[in-house]
Amino acid sequence: MMPTEPRRDDHAEGKAPSLLPSQDSIDGTDKKGLALEGSSAAEVIRQKTIQVLSARISLLGVDRSGAYEHYNLQLSNGFPIPPGELAILDLVRQRLPRLRSYHEVGSGLGTLPLMLAHDGFASVGIERDERRHLTATAILRELSTDLPHIESNCRLIGAAFPDAVADLDVSDSIAILTDFVASQTPGDYVRLCCGLAQYRYVLMDLQRFCSKRDSNDEQEQLLGELASYGLSPSTEIVDLESQGYYRLFECKPATNRRALTANVGTSVSSSPAASYAAPTAATVQPPPEQLPVPTAGNAIQIRPPTELAVSEPETERPAITGVHLPPMPKLVQRKRFGGLLGLSALLVIGIPSLLAVAYFGFFASSQFVTSFQFAVRGPSQASTSRGGGASAMGVGAISPDSFVVTDYINSGQAVADVESNVDVRAMFSRPSVDFWSRLPSNLTSEQLNAYWANMVSANFDLISGNVSVSVRAFTPQDSLKLAQTLVAASDEMFRKLNAKAQQNFVRVADENVARAQQQLAAARQALFVFREESGGLVDPNRTAQAGANIVDDLRKQLAALQAQYAAIKAVAANSPMLAPLSAQISSLASQINNEDRSSAPRLKSVTPETLAEYQALELEREYADKQYTEALALRNQAYLTAQNQQSYLALFAAPTLPQRSLYPNRPRAIAAVVLAAAAAWFAGVLIAYALRDHLM
């Protein structure tokens, strides 16, 4: 905000007029022509800033990208370059002497340093907000792909001022403060002013230095404070009204500045009331020609700026022969490895690795392994293997019983069966076994099963159909004894399993025969009852068919005689053969009539309902008869099969006494611990940095 009272008149106070026109003359095309004449820096930096900032906001959000409300609002308005930065760029290009480097304190997204670097000036941007600094670094990286000279001309430092330039020689550089509004403690304010005094020139916005200073009185007070630190105002003024009131300061020679800094550092008060208060004249002893003029009431008056002029570098210092910027890695890359990271690596990697070396190298007990292999074979596998096709490739050797034996060896039932012959608990809990490998005393059955799973392993090979078993123990004799006992227990389990399967198979066959026999008897009894109730009718179909066949035969004979009679009569009407034929025809017709009358009662007894009932009963009898026949055949086959052995364990690799220990594999175990600890530490570091970036 501008002060309510009108700005002081530069001519009335004896000051040189502003070097640049006011805000009204900077707007529109006049501003572009003034600040960017002969330079495309502003448009290039603006377009690249819009591109990178939009991408980082989409990826990280408004706050995490460092845009916050200020830059996010500028982005929504097309991200115009502030008029103050355009004016400063023009001032540097046209009026300021050629300096070693140009430092902007509080550079934000670095648009001003990037524009200066674009036009060939060695620039440095100092920003303590890490998120804005990272976004500015991303903009610089994107610009350097198209304009490589920018990366060599610009350095972006992510640190607070003046610590960021503590190791740099800024005696022939200029510090630029455009919108430096930030709360400062009294000590920080003194360090800030003393840091600015180390530069040759300082260009700052008097309206926005540490706090808002809109009135002329506040700006005059600031001039007095800065003069006490050795910053002498010059005649260079950039008046942008509400956009800023920039004043160029020339600092004291290096020798006087060092003495002034030492004296000022001893006068900082710890009282909150001393915030932004300058040291008294008695404490600071600058040269007489640059001292403020004290007046009544200890008020500080500043000499008219017309008496001060920017000294040409040729009269005070030797000419600068080159540009020296701080090294890129030292200022851009921050230290990532420190004491805390090293301590975490020691705790997560170092200590477990040392413990692993000590345990596996000196304390871990040797473990001996006894292995044996067997296959499950039987009549089905033998017959299948003689065939061709898939069995020729080994698939026919696979038996479901192999999976049964494998699961048995790995189960708790095998532990119980082996314990009946071998004291497993005493074998694995001897005092000579190390603490971590020893079987604890007074453990539950579940804990014993888990320990058994670590010491005994059975695996089934799908290709060969064989079962491989490895048994570990802490002595060779224990390993061999346990393996032999396990072979005997597995064979006994499989024998009992076969016997029970045979018994179940025969029992099911007998039950099927008995059930089929009962069904057949019931069907026959139902058919017998039907015949009795139908008056001795054996088969309704045959009864009805018998009468129909007799009548059909008589009618065929009658038709033949009638045809013969007609033929003879047509040839010889008086033939003696006509009388016998006529008698035969009459006899057959009479017989047909008698047969029809006698078969009517029989046909009436064979109704459709009787015929349907008879067919259903006959079908049930036939089905029961077939089921009974098949059940008898299956029972005969079951008895024949039960007489043969179904399956057996073919042990082709018997257990032998081990000669040397195979476990633990000490080098591999130590390497596994080290690699696992390193992976855990690396993952933890990544998670920690990700959480830190997320929270920031």
Side-chain angles (χ1 to χ4, degrees):
M1 296 292 295
M2 288 298 295
T4 54
E5 65 273 21
R7 181 176 297 279
R8 59 192 178 278
D9 184 79
D10 295 333
H11 295 282
E13 296 185 8
K15 301 178 182 179
S18 174
L19 293 176
L20 298 178
S22 64
Q23 175 66 27
D24 296 336
S25 63
I26 297 179
D27 295 335
T29 56
D30 294 338
K31 176 178 68 175
K32 183 180 295 185
L34 172 65
L36 302 178
E37 181 179 358
S39 173
S40 61
E43 185 61 22
V44 172
I45 303 305
R46 186 182 74 87
Q47 294 293 341
K48 189 61 68 175
T49 302
I50 292 175
Q51 174 187 346
V52 176
L53 184 60
S54 300
R56 290 182 66 84
I57 290 177
S58 301
L59 179 64
L60 304 175
V62 175
D63 292 339
R64 293 184 59 196
S65 64
Y68 305 114
E69 182 179 357
H70 173 68
Y71 287 111
N72 191 36
L73 180 61
Q74 283 193 340
L75 185 62
S76 62
N77 295 330
F79 205 86
I81 301 297
E85 295 186 3
L86 297 175
I88 292 172
L89 176 62
D90 187 76
L91 179 65
V92 170
R93 294 174 62 241
Q94 298 183 11
R95 301 298 301 272
L96 287 180
R98 189 73 174 183
L99 302 176
R100 172 179 294 171
S101 57
Y102 302 81
H103 298 198
E104 184 184 12
V105 182
S107 58
L109 298 183
T111 52
L112 180 57
L114 292 174
M115 289 191 297
L116 291 171
H118 179 278
D119 287 352
F121 297 94
S123 61
V124 176
I126 304 171
E127 175 58 49
R128 68 177 181 179
D129 187 285
E130 183 179 9
R131 300 174 182 180
R132 288 181 174 174
H133 168 69
L134 293 176
T135 300
T137 304
I139 298 172
L140 174 60
R141 190 183 306 113
E142 291 295 328
L143 283 169
S144 62
T145 58
D146 300 330
L147 305 171
H149 71 280
I150 290 185
E151 188 173 11
S152 61
N153 291 341
C154 183
R155 295 292 182 269
L156 299 177
I157 305 176
F161 184 85
D163 296 336
V165 295
D167 299 333
L168 303 180
D169 181 12
V170 296
S171 60
D172 196 60
S173 302
I174 181 172
I176 304 172
L177 298 92
T178 57
D179 189 1
F180 195 81
V181 178
S183 58
Q184 304 283 339
T185 63
D188 292 339
Y189 182 79
V190 172
R191 294 180 68 250
L192 173 63
C193 295
C194 293
L196 294 176
Q198 303 301 317
Y199 285 85
R200 179 179 178 184
Y201 297 106
V202 176
L203 179 63
M204 72 168 60
D205 182 5
L206 297 182
Q207 295 179 354
R208 299 175 180 84
F209 180 72
C210 295
S211 63
K212 300 286 288 186
R213 306 172 189 269
D214 295 331
S215 65
N216 293 337
D217 294 338
E218 292 174 336
Q219 296 173 13
E220 291 292 345
Q221 181 182 0
L222 176 61
L223 290 175
E225 294 175 0
L226 296 177
S228 65
Y229 289 97
L231 276 69
S232 301
S234 69
T235 57
E236 300 289 350
I237 299 173
V238 179
D239 188 359
L240 302 178
E241 296 185 356
S242 62
Q243 299 294 332
Y245 182 73
Y246 295 88
R247 193 69 179 266
L248 183 67
F249 294 85
E250 184 180 11
C251 303
K252 297 180 179 297
T255 54
N256 293 335
R257 286 203 300 270
R258 284 193 294 268
L260 177 62
T261 303
N263 292 332
V264 171
T266 61
S267 63
V268 179
S269 174
S270 60
S271 172
S275 178
Y276 307 118
T280 60
T283 305
V284 181
Q285 299 295 335
E289 68 275 10
Q290 298 185 12
L291 277 176
V293 180
T295 58
N298 293 330
I300 297 179
Q301 300 278 342
I302 304 300
R303 290 179 181 272
T306 54
E307 300 178 8
L308 301 174
V310 179
S311 301
E312 294 297 331
E314 294 81 1
T315 60
E316 291 187 2
R317 299 174 180 82
I320 301 300
T321 59
V323 176
H324 301 280
L325 289 177
M328 177 72 77
K330 180 179 180 180
L331 298 176
V332 175
Q333 296 182 357
R334 299 179 298 127
K335 292 183 179 180
R336 293 292 186 184
F337 297 93
L340 184 60
L341 205 60
L343 180 62
S344 65
L346 176 63
L347 294 176
V348 179
I349 302 177
I351 294 179
S353 300
L354 292 177
L355 293 177
V357 171
Y359 172 71
F360 291 107
F362 302 100
F363 297 102
S365 300
S366 299
Q367 299 179 15
F368 298 86
V369 179
T370 299
S371 301
F372 60 91
Q373 296 182 4
F374 61 87
V376 179
R377 289 293 182 267
S380 59
Q381 278 72 33
S383 61
T384 305
S385 62
R386 288 193 294 268
S391 62
M393 296 183 291
V395 179
I398 298 178
S399 172
D401 295 333
S402 301
F403 295 99
V404 174
V405 179
T406 303
D407 294 339
Y408 166 77
I409 295 175
N410 293 327
S411 67
Q413 184 62 40
V415 182
D417 294 342
V418 171
E419 274 192 310
S420 61
N421 297 320
V422 177
D423 192 354
V424 177
R425 298 173 186 264
M427 181 181 294
F428 291 130
S429 59
R430 292 175 178 173
S432 59
V433 181
D434 67 88
F435 176 77
W436 293 106
S437 301
R438 186 187 311 159
L439 181 66
S441 59
N442 300 326
L443 75 167
T444 62
S445 58
E446 290 79 9
Q447 293 175 335
L448 180 59
N449 294 339
Y451 189 87
W452 175 270
N454 292 329
M455 305 302 291
V456 178
S457 174
N459 299 307
F460 176 69
D461 189 359
L462 291 174
I463 304 300
S464 63
N466 300 329
V467 179
S468 301
V469 183
S470 61
V471 179
R472 287 193 286 174
F474 299 103
T475 63
Q477 294 76 15
D478 289 346
S479 176
L480 178 61
K481 183 178 181 180
L482 186 59
Q484 292 174 344
T485 306
L486 188 58
V487 170
S490 300
D491 187 70
E492 180 65 18
M493 182 276 305
F494 200 65
R495 186 188 63 78
K496 292 180 179 179
L497 190 65
N498 281 335
K500 187 175 181 180
Q502 293 170 2
Q503 294 174 1
N504 292 336
F505 192 59
V506 172
R507 179 180 54 82
V508 170
D510 291 338
E511 291 177 355
N512 288 337
V513 171
R515 185 168 52 255
Q517 189 175 10
Q518 292 177 359
Q519 292 178 355
L520 179 60
R524 289 176 176 177
Q525 182 64 26
L527 187 59
F528 177 75
V529 172
F530 170 77
R531 287 173 178 173
E532 286 185 349
E533 292 178 353
S534 62
L537 187 62
V538 178
D539 191 347
N541 291 329
R542 293 181 180 179
T543 301
Q545 188 67 27
N549 290 338
I550 294 173
V551 174
D552 288 342
D553 291 341
L554 293 175
R555 287 179 177 175
K556 290 179 181 179
Q557 295 177 12
L558 178 62
L561 291 175
Q562 288 176 349
Q564 185 179 0
Y565 179 84
I568 294 174
K569 187 178 181 179
V571 176
N574 297 322
S575 175
M577 297 181 62
L578 295 177
L581 289 175
S582 176
Q584 291 181 4
I585 291 173
S586 299
S587 176
L588 285 175
S590 177
Q591 188 177 357
I592 290 173
N593 292 332
N594 294 333
E595 190 66 30
D596 289 338
R597 287 193 297 268
S598 62
S599 62
R602 293 195 302 267
L603 293 176
K604 290 181 180 179
S605 63
V606 184
T607 62
E609 293 78 5
T610 304
L611 183 60
E613 184 178 358
Y614 172 79
Q615 290 176 349
L617 293 175
E618 181 65 19
L619 183 61
E620 290 181 1
R621 186 196 64 78
E622 292 178 357
Y623 177 75
D625 191 16
K626 183 178 180 181
Q627 289 291 105
Y628 180 69
T629 303
E630 292 178 354
L632 289 176
L634 290 176
R635 185 177 66 174
N636 294 333
Q637 183 179 359
Y639 277 101
L640 292 175
T641 305
Q643 294 177 0
N644 300 323
Q645 186 180 8
Q646 289 293 316
S647 300
Y648 61 93
L649 298 183
L651 184 66
F652 60 88
T656 58
L657 185 68
Q659 300 299 320
R660 62 185 183 89
S661 64
L662 298 181
Y663 294 95
N665 191 328
R666 306 178 192 276
R668 181 181 298 178
I670 294 174
V673 172
V674 174
L675 293 178
W681 175 82
F682 185 71
V685 170
L686 291 180
I687 294 174
Y689 279 118
L691 291 176
R692 187 202 65 175
D693 295 340
H694 178 73
L695 295 177
M696 291 179 59

